[in-house]
Each structure stands twice: as structure tokens, then as C-alpha cells.
Amino acid sequence: MDLQKIKTLLDFVGRSRVSELVVSDADTTVVIRKPVRDAAANQEIATAIQALSTDEPARSENRPQTQLVRASTSGIVHRSSSPGSAPIVAEGDAVEVGQALCIVEAMKVFTTISAPFGGIVTRIFFEDGQEVAFGDPLVEIG
């Protein structure tokens, strides 16, 4: 089965009400499943949409003061892109969405950890060369 056919099937499932699709072609079988939302999740989404559509500005006490960026994989974390160079970010730096924060190395594969949101780096939880596990906090952005 070619990649274009799989992309077409993914697009179809994404746009339709189909929750699961199984397609077999020669010796390949592709299973595509949509996550199922329960009634509580649908109610939370409806409440969030309603809150966003009100004319009142968002209150700052409802927003978290800071947010954590966590390790997406286990490995050795590096603050700079190469040995001896300056750190990618430091505490107090302003970062934008998608900006590199650090690099995690696992089995000679280097994964760049990027900022999922913008703000000011308020805390860095690791030392250069430290081992981290999946989900460990790396950087706090406020």
C-alpha cells in the first residue's frame, strides 16, 4: 500500500463520522482509529467554547502563572547545540512558540525540545549532560 493511499484514508477518517477503518491490501493491513470522546469531554469542550465566546476578557487568576516543558524522550540533555558553545536558552530569556530550548540525546539520536508556548524562561531544571527520563520537567516558562 502506497503512502498516498494511506494519507487519503487518514483524511477520509478525519472528515467523516467513521470511528475505525480497517483496509487490507496484499500483505499490508492498515487500521485507523479516531479517539472517542465521552459525554463529559464533550461538555467540557462546549463549556470552553462558551467561555471563549463571551465578551469578558480572560481573568488572570484563571491562567497558570507558569507552564512546564517536559522531556519527550529519555536520554542525556544538552543545553547547547555543540560542545563548548553558548546555551540555547538561559533563565530570563524570552522564547517564542517553536523556539529550541535544549537537546536530548538518546543512542546518538539528537531530539530538539522546542517551546510549545511563548514566554520568559523562569527556571531550568537540568544541568548540561544530566540524564532525564520521559516526562521529566526541563524548562519552566512564565
Side-chain angles (χ1 to χ4, degrees):
M1 185 174 305
D2 67 350
L3 186 58
Q4 185 58 42
K5 187 172 184 180
I6 294 171
K7 287 180 180 180
T8 303
L9 293 171
L10 285 168
D11 185 48
F12 168 74
V13 172
R15 287 184 287 118
S16 70
R17 292 183 182 216
V18 174
S19 60
E20 181 175 326
L21 179 67
V22 179
V23 178
S24 295
D25 183 23
D27 61 343
T28 305
T29 300
V30 176
V31 179
I32 303 170
R33 290 187 185 100
K34 243 195 237 185
V36 180
R37 291 190 193 133
D38 60 3
N42 287 338
Q43 181 59 36
E44 288 177 19
I45 292 170
T47 304
I49 291 171
Q50 184 178 11
L52 290 174
S53 65
T54 62
D55 292 333
E56 292 182 31
R59 296 184 180 156
S60 61
E61 67 263 16
N62 290 339
R63 291 188 205 147
Q65 297 298 320
T66 59
Q67 296 180 359
L68 295 177
V69 177
R70 297 182 178 275
S72 58
T73 186
S74 299
I76 305 297
V77 67
H78 300 284
R79 291 191 63 183
S80 60
S81 57
S82 63
S85 64
I88 299 171
V89 295
E91 289 184 13
D93 287 355
V95 294
E96 297 177 358
V97 174
Q99 182 176 339
L101 300 172
C102 60
I103 298 171
V104 177
E105 174 189 359
M107 299 184 348
K108 300 297 179 192
V109 174
F110 296 86
T111 304
T112 301
I113 306 298
S114 301
F117 35 81
I120 304 294
V121 175
T122 56
R123 187 172 174 194
I124 296 176
F125 291 92
F126 62 90
E127 295 296 323
D128 192 44
Q130 178 180 331
E131 188 170 332
V132 294
F134 173 83
D136 284 352
L138 297 174
V139 178
E140 183 179 64
I141 299 175

